[in-house]
Amino acid sequence: MDLAERKGHLEGVDARTLVAGSNKMEILLFSLGTRETFGINVFKVREVGRTPHITRTPNMPRGVEGLISLRGNVIPVLSLISFLEPREQSPEHGRTMMVAEYSKRTLGFLVHEVDRIIRVDWEKVKAPESVLSTNQGLITAITELDDGKLVSILDVEQILANAFGEALIVDIQRANVGDDVGIFFADDSIVARRKIVEVLDRLGVKHKHATNGAEAWSRLQAIAAHASQIGTAVRDEIRLILVDAEMPEMDGYVLTKNIKGDERFAGIPVVMHSSLSSQANHAMGKAVGVDAYVAKFDAEILADTLRPLLER
């Protein structure tokens, strides 16, 4: 797929906001020179093309091949297969590069080749714990194509953490709230959940979580049912809900629509926290009623977004 074809696939990106709330995702299929097929959310891919000259510099982290200049910007280039189980690489591997944006950061990913863009139902995207996988720590979800072929969706947040380390969280001011104030959050990335917990602990708020949208909605309904039984409001237990955009079984857009459509959660703000940082994704969040959209992962911005919503 050359750049012209890639642009053709992404024409009319505003129209793709219609995908929001449909529990569907569009993914670009690619391979790493092995028998497996991998996928990446098409909204994260800026372009695909032949790999340009890579400048190799000393002391680069494992998996980082070097740097390239892309329209005046210097970006790191990672070989995705380097983060999976050790295996012999195809001579063709790395001739194709995907340029992707994660958390307001542009990166190049070396792959064997790209295939096509498909639309999948999140209900058919499952967490890897339910299947045998030799790379469970780096695979955030798995889906099945119509022909029975499995597609692994890599946890790029974990890959970036492995390559560059996790961002340090500096001093975060506590929220001016009581000890009983709680937050519910949902995120399928182990790295993201760990960093969110660190932020919430420093804010001084209680928290509960789920690892995907379907689990989150089930737990939230149970909390609401219990509140109704004892005659209290859900807001007495949950002051704010934080959701990821991409999650197996039910994405953050559908989860937000469910929450906003249930009067039991009236008055509880929903914040979307996602590595999808483009304006199109902000528009998708707004379309389903999120109260704020925060790009991953800046602990201070996340804390500064949550604090006033908790204190109001």
Side-chain angles (χ1 to χ4, degrees):
M1 181 185 296
D2 60 23
L3 181 56
E5 289 175 316
R6 169 71 191 137
K7 287 181 177 178
H9 277 297
L10 295 184
E11 282 182 352
V13 71
D14 289 341
R16 289 171 182 258
T17 60
L18 296 175
V19 176
S22 67
N23 211 36
K24 296 180 183 296
M25 171 182 64
E26 292 185 330
I27 61 176
L28 174 64
L29 303 181
F30 65 93
S31 71
L32 298 178
T34 64
R35 294 181 178 180
E36 299 114 317
T37 299
F38 297 92
I40 183 172
N41 191 316
V42 79
F43 271 114
K44 292 179 176 177
V45 182
R46 290 174 51 176
E47 60 186 83
V48 175
R50 303 296 287 178
T51 301
H53 173 71
I54 299 174
T55 300
R56 304 184 187 279
T57 58
N59 302 319
M60 295 298 287
R62 169 181 166 265
V64 180
E65 296 295 302
L67 305 171
I68 65 168
S69 177
L70 184 70
R71 286 182 284 281
N73 296 314
V74 177
I75 67 171
V77 177
L78 290 75
S79 176
L80 290 181
I81 198 170
S82 299
F83 297 93
L84 303 180
E85 276 203 334
R87 63 190 74 193
E88 184 177 349
Q89 295 188 22
S90 164
E92 297 289 322
H93 178 73
R95 294 189 180 182
T96 300
M97 185 181 72
M98 300 187 303
V99 178
E101 181 180 343
Y102 275 82
S103 306
K104 298 185 289 188
R105 183 176 190 173
T106 304
L107 308 125
F109 294 138
L110 298 183
V111 301
H112 179 67
E113 62 181 359
V114 296
D115 184 2
R116 65 192 188 276
I117 292 174
I118 63 169
R119 180 172 290 188
V120 299
D121 294 323
W122 272 113
E123 292 177 354
K124 297 180 180 178
V125 179
K126 304 298 181 182
E129 289 80 9
S130 61
V131 298
L132 294 177
S133 171
T134 57
N135 296 294
Q136 284 196 14
L138 296 177
I139 295 175
T140 189
I142 291 179
T143 190
E144 185 176 357
L145 302 181
D146 292 339
D147 61 5
K149 182 182 295 184
L150 294 179
V151 176
S152 299
I153 299 174
L154 294 178
D155 187 346
V156 178
E157 292 168 17
Q158 181 67 63
I159 289 174
L160 296 183
N162 289 355
F164 302 111
E166 295 182 25
L168 296 177
I169 295 180
V170 296
D171 292 337
I172 290 178
Q173 179 183 347
R174 289 179 64 88
N176 185 23
V177 295
D179 294 336
D180 59 338
V181 169
I183 282 181
F184 187 97
F185 73 89
D187 201 299
D188 64 319
S189 169
I190 296 174
V191 173
R193 291 199 299 271
R194 183 164 61 243
K195 304 306 287 186
I196 291 169
V197 166
E198 191 172 348
V199 170
L200 299 183
D201 286 345
R202 295 194 180 208
L203 283 171
V205 295
K206 300 188 302 181
H207 47 80
K208 298 179 180 180
H209 77 271
T211 59
N212 63 62
E215 178 192 348
W217 183 232
S218 178
R219 294 194 63 187
L220 286 169
Q221 287 182 302
I223 290 172
H226 180 258
S228 297
Q229 286 182 342
I230 63 177
T232 62
V234 177
R235 195 172 186 276
D236 293 338
E237 182 173 351
I238 299 173
R239 187 69 58 86
L240 182 147
I241 300 172
L242 181 68
V243 302
D244 185 19
E246 300 176 279
M247 293 183 289
E249 300 185 40
M250 179 188 293
D251 67 17
Y253 302 108
V254 172
L255 177 58
T256 299
K257 281 185 66 175
N258 289 346
I259 294 168
K260 292 298 183 179
D262 191 326
E263 62 181 12
R264 296 174 297 178
F265 299 98
I268 301 177
V270 177
V271 175
M272 183 162 283
H273 183 229
S274 174
S275 59
L276 298 169
S277 51
S278 71
Q279 288 302 312
N281 299 108
H282 285 246
M284 290 170 67
K286 185 177 180 180
V288 294
V290 299
D291 297 275
Y293 192 106
V294 182
K296 291 179 180 175
F297 187 88
D298 188 312
E300 291 185 0
I301 293 178
L302 177 60
D304 289 345
T305 301
L306 299 181
R307 192 180 296 107
L309 293 173
L310 292 167
E311 294 177 347
R312 72 183 185 185

